[in-house]
Amino acid sequence: MKKLLLILLTLFIFGGCYSAGDISDTEAVQAVSVLEDDAAKNGFTFLKDAVPEKERDFTLMVYLNGSDLESKYACATRDLQEMYSSGFNSENLNVIVLTGGTSYWNNDTISSDTEIYKVTNKGIVKLVSLGKISVLNPELMTNFIDYCSKAFPAKKNGFVFWNHGGGTIHGYGMDQLYKDQSMSVPQIIKAFDNSVLKNKKLEFVGFDSCLMATIEIADSMQPYANYLIASEETEPGYGWDYGFLKTISENPNLTGAEIGKEIVTKYVAFYEDSSQDATLSTIDLSKMNELNANFEKFMNLAYDSIQNGDFNKIAKARKGTKSFGYSGENSGSYDIVDIKHLAQKMQSMYPEESKNLIKSIDETVVYKENNSIVSNSNGLSTYIPYLDKDIAEYSLQIYKSLKKYPQFNNFLNSYTKELLSKEAPDYSEEIAEIQPEVNDDSDISINLAPEMLDYINEINLTIWSKYEDDYYIMLGSSSNVDIAEDGKINTAFDGYWAELGGQRACFYEYENYDGTVKYSTPAVLNGEEVDIFAIFNEKYPDGKIIGALPVSESRVASKYMLPIEKGDKLQLQYYVQLFVENEEDLAKYDYASTWVDGDEFTVGDDFKIEIVPVDGQYLYGFWIEDVYADRYYTNFIEITY
């Protein structure tokens, strides 16, 4: 059996949403109150005009911010169809939806204005048209909540945020009509605090959005809801399964925890065979005070460790902790980490405090699930910068505005100051002199000074193929290396690599844990920049391509995984680097490094990954990442096949 440096993949086609036509009977669409002027200018008068219906058991408010998820992929239309097709009993349950945020709706009913609809088991009925206003306006959200509470009174209420998400730092939503806007966590708090929810808690608040199961968001929702339902990881394009509406209408006494279990179970089960990461958790917000106290004690010790010169230990634990929100080489990282896994990584440093924090998380996260390709997702996350250092200082200012967790704030400031320190040890020259060696078995190895290992977080083998002149293409990286205590680093390569559609392909490993290896490949699909995602594990021994994720238009995470289908136009992208022995030779060349697009080809029936023998000139070396997330290359060895 061949030894493969990067174990690769076969094609899997998956799409998050599909196009749809008319979603309601035209005769059923009734304009109850239409405002000609923008709602903000008109003082949100629709709230005054609201006439209460009879009280029901439950009212669910859905903030359906369509954005590109609707205009490009009809995701919001699909979920509306799912809602009214769920078979829920409208005598027991009100479903009230605010629509907006998108340039185009893929149905014949909803306009590009911001509007409010009631969902019934026969379709949707328009209640209010609000004109042109951003759905990310906190005042609009406040008035929508108050309107629903007044016009559709119920014993219990729930609220769902539908759209993109970016976690604690980047907040909720992307309004396609108002560029570069999102709703920050303080703005969400303001919208809730100015509403009737200040006096009557929701049974649950849910985020059908990416990356929103953070401790900061959970604590922010505590005054306004009993439970939070959210995902630590990015959500696939389909989002939640709204079949849970029938369950609510048939069981009016369900608690938020029981509703959450229903939502979580349906959601994760749906994605088990898709090979897209799926996590969802239900969080008991009444347990947040104890969790907060244990979190602060734990992070205060981490702060003390940095002050005492143990930054390396903290940085190594941070690097080894499960991260969420990786969006490919084109988009980068959100630096969101699982809190329980972090505590487990640091348990030897703070045994008692780690134990207490883990116990609090287990008690607060009353129900969670993830599909089989996700590891170490325990229900609650937080922000600790690492890979995305360029915005670390900006992110700290955002975090500071939350006015939460003073001990954790101290830790973040101290940790980030050290992470960005210009006085950090620089091993670049020493590492650049390290020369890889090849033995008779074609194993490639280097030797590091043992003391250097204290400053190193990760070591990857990199492979480069000849491009032109003295330029080489980086084909990818692999963490499949053995690191000995004496500093010897060893890996194996047998001269085989992967092609995608007959083209040599770049595969960047971004996660390797518990038998599952994940990769991304930069590309252009039908003129749109994407990252192609793929996995290899025991279930898919030959590998599986998941789909292509568009490069995010904003700092909120992309959610819709594009299928790769016959007839699509595809260009693979390559990182090109100049390799010369003498620095004075650089002046002879136009550039030192760049990204280039490969030849465009049409996806056909035989589109697949093939492992083939390499042919031509190749360079092999290692990149070494230190505890400051800086990467250095060793020297390279050249092999011609």
Side-chain angles (χ1 to χ4, degrees), residues 205-218:
V205 58
F207 285 89
D208 192 354
S209 311
C210 301
L211 306 172
M212 301 301 277
T214 72
I215 191 171
E216 297 84 10
I217 290 172

Side-chain angles (χ1 to χ4, degrees), residues 265-280:
T265 301
K266 285 180 177 292
Y267 170 84
V268 174
F270 182 82
Y271 293 109
E272 184 54 52
D273 294 327
S274 75
S275 298
Q276 287 191 266
D277 292 1
T279 70
L280 204 61

Side-chain angles (χ1 to χ4, degrees), residues 222 269 335 491 527 553 618:
Q222 182 185 7
D335 283 335
T491 190
E553 297 178 11
Y618 286 78

